[in-house]
Amino acid sequence: MKKNGFRIAIWYVALIAVVIVVISLLWGGSGTKKDLKYSDVIAYFKDERVSEYTVDYDDGVVEMTVQPENDTDKAQKISYKLADIDSFLEDIKPYAENIKTYDRVPARVIPWWVSFLPYLIITIVIVVIWWFMMNQAAGGKGSKINNFGKARVKNGDKSKVFFRDVAGADEEKAELEEIVEFLKDPAKFTRLGAKIPHGVLLMGPPGTGKTLLAKAVAGEAGVPFYYISGSDFVEMYVGVGASRVRDLFELARRNPASIVFIDEIDAVGRQRGTGLGGGHDEREQTLNQLLVEMDGFGSTDGIIVIAATNRPDVLDPALLRPGRFDRQITVNTPDIRGREAILKVHARNKPLEEGVDLSVIAKGTSGFTGADLANLLNEAALLAARKNKTLIGMDEIEDAFTKVVAGPQKKSMRIKESEKLKTAYHEAGHAVLSHVLPLMDPVHQISIIPSGSALGYTLNLPEEDKYSVYRNELKQKISMLLGGRVAEQLIFDDFSGGASNDIQRATQIARKMVTQLGMSDLGPIMFGSGHSDTEVFLGRDFSHERNYSEAVAAQIDEQIEKIITEAYNEAKRLLSENIDKLHFIAKYLVKNEIMDGEQFKRAMEEDGVTIEALEEMVAERRRRSEDENAKRAIQIAENERLREEERRRNGERDKDKEEKDSNDDDRHIDF
């Protein structure tokens, strides 16, 4: 980029220089006094002030060396354009006899084409500069303006990916194997009259491996893989997107079988007519061309279009009909077995301690995508390297998990002891209720170290994947969320603003129970559109009105208040019954700031447990990790010593061989 800018600057400088030269040639008159008159020139000769002069017959110019009037001044060279050279010579003849130095340059005969040559060169230079500037404006070196309509395709043949590289998506891979078989042996399907799906739409949350699955299909089939993003079609110029769609499919048709992968297709595949005014914009033209190419007048034999999106709800219905994207595969977040398989893939090149159990990590990472799990292990590896460890332990994985979920810990942040104590009771309230409420997920970690925007956190992790929610579970969840505020009220008879997020989440759950899930006294009725208030899709949700009256709205508010109040009273009752455990957990947090799940479980289930006993659990785990890392360091040093010794022996062996070969050559020399 800097190189192109430098070239453009050079061309601009050259253009300015050419303009200056042209002006000098055409309008030049160097050394000529503009206010000099012919009579003044004759006067110089008459006064005998001219010491030498030269008459150029070609240009019609006289150049004179004029002596000054005062002896202190220097002589001056003056040029004058003559109207008639012969008349000038006659006029100065009486005065020029005493001038010894003079010259007369005869006129030169110049061909017409020579005089025309400077103008031709100037024209060529201006044309070249104009072409170069237009070329740069069109996209840099080697680009043309017409290349705006060319598809910006990336070829994925260089990095092969196979199904064995994709973990946690067994059902999705089974659906795509049919596509692979068709690309390998199309006759197997065509002789039965079957038609392979023209398009496959991969839907799912970000990071679930949609792009990786598409690459695996291409790798398994051994066909060209063309990758393009949906945003690459959109430009400010009219018709460019449609032109790029045509170019993309023309490129794919050059091969007997190929895969076209369009990532984030919702960038161009949104429902038509959904803008404010429903105008026909450039994006809709691009979508129309895509619809025609997939199932229209052109042949798409051998071309499989695979697209990915995390917003299938906004796609145009014409894009999803049979004949276009006839197969739609949902790529969900992996289950516990899938997460374990993904962790094994990403842990291949990472040395782990013996105490690291990937099944336990998979169990505690419910809701994590493949990208999240890869990032988790990578963060753990970075933390282990920062500690100069040779193995990645559970402590690093736990810290990485906390960093990913709650944000980086701000251990340097200074907090007053009184505020630290209130935060400890707040988090202890959440934790105690999580333990005593039977439907809540177990506590994974409690911390009063500021992380992200929170002064503390309580992490609850499910022991197994959940796919449904129930009324009693949601009511207990609201009680747990309000536990921090209740603990502050019981101990300090005061409230802090730290419970604002808890109150917001609790209210959202209660509102959803009433308006969408039918879990209130109002019965199984949905109130409202059912779409999220934070994700309004213009053209679909903007015009929707509230489908219930003001009287019903008042009843909804009453039901939400009832659910919140009942959950609050339940939390207050349970914490009052477990006030001793609340004090103990808060006391431990004030001293150590962090309590893990094993420590918390022991503190809640064992009577008479001490803070020292809980601290010894952490110390013992740390000692085992240090011993294992020390053994690993010794093993690494020993392996390095053996490799160095092997390299030394190989060097000596090569040296002996060279000496032997040299001696053999000497013995075979003939004199």
Side-chain angles (χ1 to χ4, degrees):
M1 198 69 181
K2 293 181 178 179
K3 189 175 182 180
N4 291 335
F6 181 72
R7 290 180 177 177
I8 293 174
I10 291 178
W11 278 106
Y12 276 125
V13 171
L15 178 61
I16 294 172
V18 169
V19 172
I20 293 174
V21 171
V22 171
I23 294 174
S24 302
L25 291 175
L26 297 179
W27 294 280
S30 163
T32 303
K33 286 188 174 182
K34 294 183 179 180
D35 56 346
L36 189 65
K37 300 178 180 179
Y38 182 75
S39 59
D40 297 332
V41 175
I42 302 300
Y44 289 150
F45 285 89
K46 186 178 181 180
D47 297 340
E48 298 182 352
R49 294 176 58 186
V50 180
S51 60
E52 60 183 22
Y53 69 95
T54 301
V55 178
D56 191 341
Y57 281 79
D58 185 45
D59 296 332
V61 176
V62 58
E63 292 184 0
M64 305 170 292
T65 301
V66 181
Q67 301 298 323
E69 295 179 356
N70 301 323
D71 296 337
T72 57
D73 297 334
K74 295 181 179 180
Q76 184 180 13
K77 286 192 175 182
I78 300 176
S79 299
Y80 184 79
K81 181 73 173 179
L82 300 173
D84 189 349
I85 296 177
D86 295 333
S87 299
F88 169 75
L89 295 175
E90 283 294 328
D91 293 338
I92 66 170
K93 187 175 181 180
Y95 316 112
E97 295 179 352
N98 297 327
I99 302 176
K100 297 180 179 181
T101 305
Y102 66 93
D103 192 12
R104 298 179 183 179
V105 181
R108 296 185 299 270
V109 180
I110 302 175
W112 67 270
W113 60 269
V114 174
S115 59
F116 181 73
L117 189 61
Y119 300 97
L120 180 62
I121 294 174
I122 294 170
T123 303
I124 294 174
V125 170
I126 293 175
V127 171
V128 170
I129 293 175
W130 176 85
W131 177 87
F132 180 80
M133 293 174 60
M134 295 299 295
N135 187 43
Q136 290 293 327
K141 185 179 179 180
S143 63
K144 303 289 189 296
I145 296 178
N146 294 332
N147 283 348
F148 267 159
K150 300 294 183 182
R152 300 172 181 176
V153 180
K154 304 175 184 67
N155 200 320
D157 291 340
K158 296 181 180 179
S159 57
K160 289 289 187 181
V161 179
F162 303 95
F163 280 151
R164 64 174 179 269
D165 302 316
V166 183
D170 297 335
E171 292 79 6
E172 292 81 358
K173 288 192 290 186
E175 288 286 334
L176 294 171
E177 284 178 356
E178 188 177 288
I179 306 295
V180 175
E181 291 182 10
F182 171 79
L183 292 172
K184 288 183 176 180
D185 186 16
K188 176 181 177 182
F189 299 87
T190 56
R191 60 173 170 255
L192 295 175
K195 293 183 178 179
I196 201 68
H198 286 183
V200 179
L201 181 63
L202 302 177
M203 307 176 297
T208 52
K210 299 183 292 294
T211 304
L212 192 64
L213 279 170
K215 290 182 178 180
V217 172
E220 292 287 341
V223 298
F225 179 78
Y226 301 104
Y227 168 84
I228 192 170
S229 175
S231 60
D232 290 335
F233 294 113
V234 183
E235 286 283 355
M236 64 178 291
Y237 302 101
V238 177
V240 173
S243 177
R244 288 177 178 174
V245 171
R246 289 191 296 269
D247 183 71
L248 172 64
F249 280 86
E250 288 175 2
L251 179 64
R253 291 190 187 99
R254 297 171 188 173
N255 299 281
S258 58
I259 291 177
V260 175
F261 179 64
I262 305 175
D263 200 7
E264 305 297 342
I265 194 174
D266 52 278
V268 294
R270 289 178 176 261
Q271 296 182 22
R272 290 167 291 183
T274 54
L276 293 177
H280 184 77
D281 58 4
E282 170 66 10
R283 184 180 289 105
E284 293 189 4
Q285 293 186 35
T286 306
L287 175 59
N288 292 335
Q289 186 62 42
L290 181 61
L291 296 175
V292 171
E293 292 290 343
M294 291 190 65
D295 186 311
F297 300 102
S299 174
T300 57
D301 294 338
I303 301 176
I304 304 295
V305 182
I306 302 177
T309 181
N310 52 26
R311 292 296 306 275
D313 56 311
V314 304
L315 295 180
D316 194 276
L319 201 61
L320 304 177
R321 76 159 178 82
R324 291 181 178 131
F325 286 110
D326 4 39
R327 181 161 299 181
Q328 302 170 22
I329 301 175
T330 301
V331 186
N332 288 317
T333 54
D335 56 10
I336 183 170
R337 291 191 302 173
R339 292 194 298 273
E340 185 177 355
I342 294 173
L343 288 170
K344 289 180 179 179
V345 171
H346 293 294
R348 290 174 182 172
N349 61 342
K350 295 179 175 63
L352 304 176
E353 294 181 1
E354 294 181 358
V356 176
D357 190 352
L358 295 180
S359 62
V360 176
I361 302 173
K363 188 177 182 180
T365 51
S366 178
F368 274 46
T369 63
D372 294 331
L373 295 172
N375 183 51
L376 175 65
L377 290 183
N378 185 66
E379 288 289 345
L382 294 175
L383 291 173
R386 193 180 303 170
K387 298 178 182 178
N388 296 321
K389 296 182 65 175
T390 57
L391 297 171
I392 303 173
M394 283 298 295
D395 290 340
E396 288 73 38
I397 295 177
E398 292 288 346
D399 293 342
F401 181 85
T402 304
K403 184 178 180 180
V404 171
V405 175
Q409 295 180 344
K410 303 176 182 177
K411 296 183 179 181
S412 61
M413 189 173 177
R414 302 295 298 259
I415 303 176
K416 296 188 299 183
E417 290 297 324
S418 60
E419 192 170 358
K420 187 176 181 180
L421 180 63
K422 292 180 180 179
T423 304
Y425 273 101
H426 182 100
E427 300 303 332
H430 290 307
V432 171
L433 287 177
S434 298
H435 184 80
V436 299
L437 291 170
L439 300 179
M440 287 293 94
D441 298 325
V443 174
H444 179 73
Q445 190 180 73
I446 315 168
S447 173
I448 60 171
I449 301 175
S451 301
S453 59
L455 294 177
Y457 60 84
T458 300
L459 287 180
N460 300 80
L461 297 180
E463 292 183 334
E464 56 187 11
D465 297 321
K466 297 181 181 179
Y467 302 100
S468 301
V469 293
Y470 296 90
R471 178 183 178 184
N472 291 333
E473 181 182 351
L474 293 177
K475 292 175 69 176
Q476 293 184 16
K477 181 72 175 292
I478 295 174
S479 296
M480 187 273 294
L481 290 172
L482 298 175
R485 178 183 171 94
V486 173
E488 293 179 9
Q489 182 186 16
L490 289 175
I491 305 302
F492 306 104
D493 194 22
D494 197 4
F495 305 118
S496 70
S500 60
N501 183 256
D502 299 329
I503 296 174
Q504 180 183 2
R505 293 167 60 191
T507 306
Q508 289 176 351
I509 294 173
R511 182 172 294 278
K512 193 172 183 178
M513 290 174 63
V514 176
T515 60
Q516 298 183 31
L517 303 179
M519 296 180 179
S520 68
D521 296 340
L522 297 179
I525 304 174
M526 176 177 285
F527 302 98
S529 62
H531 300 297
S532 174
D533 296 334
T534 60
E535 297 181 358
V536 177
F537 181 51
L538 297 179
R540 185 190 66 194
D541 299 336
F542 192 75
S543 61
H544 282 192
E545 298 180 356
R546 191 172 64 179
N547 57 3
Y548 51 89
S549 63
E550 293 294 336
V552 175
Q555 293 179 359
I556 292 174
D557 294 338
E558 291 176 0
Q559 290 296 315
I560 295 173
E561 182 182 1
K562 179 182 178 182
I563 293 173
I564 296 292
T565 302
E566 291 177 354
Y568 191 90
N569 294 331
E570 180 68 9
K572 191 173 183 179
R573 182 184 68 81
L574 292 174
L575 286 182
S576 299
E577 295 176 356
N578 296 271
I579 193 70
D580 294 337
K581 297 294 184 182
L582 181 67
H583 287 305
F584 181 82
I585 301 297
K587 185 178 179 181
Y588 183 91
L589 289 173
V590 170
K591 183 180 180 181
N592 296 276
E593 296 185 335
I594 292 179
M595 174 182 281
D596 61 32
E598 294 180 3
Q599 293 174 310
F600 175 75
K601 186 177 181 181
R602 184 177 176 183
M604 293 296 297
E605 296 180 354
E606 292 185 17
D607 295 330
V609 66
T610 62
I611 293 178
E612 290 75 15
L614 298 181
E615 293 173 342
E616 180 61 25
M617 294 175 63
V618 179
E620 178 63 24
R621 191 162 57 242
R622 187 179 296 112
R623 284 194 295 269
R624 289 198 302 267
S625 177
E626 291 175 355
D627 293 341
E628 193 171 347
N629 277 272
K631 293 179 181 178
R632 171 74 174 176
I634 295 172
Q635 183 181 357
I636 292 175
E638 179 66 18
N639 293 336
E640 183 62 29
R641 187 187 65 80
L642 293 175
R643 283 194 296 268
E644 182 63 28
E645 187 176 346
E646 182 68 21
R647 285 194 294 268
R648 182 179 56 81
R649 285 199 299 265
N650 292 335
E652 293 177 354
R653 194 179 308 107
D654 294 339
K655 185 178 180 181
D656 294 339
K657 185 178 179 182
E658 290 177 359
E659 292 178 354
K660 183 180 179 182
D661 294 340
S662 178
N663 294 332
D664 292 341
D665 293 338
D666 292 340
R667 285 194 295 268
H668 288 85
I669 294 176
D670 296 330
F671 295 95

